[in-house]
């Protein structure tokens, strides 16, 4: 197995693990949403409910979850692009296969973004 194939396989494994964990977390979040909906429908003062709600808040948890899934999917896409390039495909052909521009395909083949990139895109995010 080539280095590119190993990278793709590892990225797919990580994505599978991320999705399995996400499934469990989504089920938990759905239960929390149902409880919140019931509280709101029964006339609970929302500010009191939110103040007492478990942390992280539902929306915060969802944002983190979506970010993790997006990061894992992006790594699969980058690994696949590198493997396809190693198999001799051009940037243009990779772009066609992925349904993106040639420039986007070239970006996928560039070094991965710095870990701080995501944090800088969410300056409003807090721990609550």
């Amino acid at each position: 197995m080539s280095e590119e194939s190993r990278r793709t396989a590892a990225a797919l494994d990580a994505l599978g693990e991320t999705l399995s964990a996400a499934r469990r977390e989504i089920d938990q979040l759905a239960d929390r949403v149902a409880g919140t909906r019931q509280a709101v429908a029964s006339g609970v003062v929302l500010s009191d409910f939110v103040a007492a709600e478990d942390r992280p808040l539902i929306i915060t948890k969802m944002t983190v979850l979506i970010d993790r899934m997006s990061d894992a999917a992006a790594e699969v896409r980058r690994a696949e692009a590198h493997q396809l390039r190693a198999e001799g495909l051009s940037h243009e052909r990779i772009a066609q296969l992925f349904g993106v521009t040639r420039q986007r395909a070239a970006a996928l083949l560039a070094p991965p973004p710095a870990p701080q990139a995501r944090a800088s895109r969410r300056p409003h995010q807090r721990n609550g």
Side-chain angles (χ1 to χ4, degrees):
M1 181 181 279
S2 71
E3 180 181 338
E4 289 82 9
S5 295
R6 280 191 292 278
R7 179 180 176 187
T8 301
L12 289 166
D13 288 344
L15 178 59
E17 291 169 11
T18 298
L19 291 172
S20 292
R23 182 181 300 126
R24 291 186 298 274
E25 292 177 46
I26 289 169
D27 287 343
Q28 293 168 354
L29 285 171
D31 290 344
R32 287 179 66 185
V33 167
T36 303
R37 169 66 173 86
Q38 184 177 4
V40 168
S42 70
V44 168
V45 176
L46 186 60
S47 59
D48 293 340
F49 185 85
V50 171
E53 188 178 2
D54 289 341
R55 298 296 193 259
L57 296 174
I58 294 168
I59 299 304
T60 303
K61 185 72 173 168
M62 284 181 56
T63 300
V64 170
L65 181 59
I66 290 166
D67 286 348
R68 277 200 331 257
M69 290 189 300
S70 179
D71 290 347
E75 181 54 32
V76 168
R77 175 64 56 101
R78 281 191 298 274
E80 289 175 338
H82 281 274
Q83 185 171 346
L84 292 169
R85 185 70 180 129
E87 292 173 2
L89 276 67
S90 67
H91 285 65
E92 186 171 331
R93 182 64 182 130
I94 293 168
Q96 289 172 344
L97 288 172
F98 287 173
V100 299
T101 66
R102 189 172 49 78
Q103 291 81 6
R104 179 66 187 128
L108 289 169
L109 293 164
Q116 295 89 356
R118 173 145 337 261
S120 67
R121 290 197 318 245
R122 295 200 184 277
H124 63 281
Q125 187 173 357
R126 299 171 200 213
N127 291 334

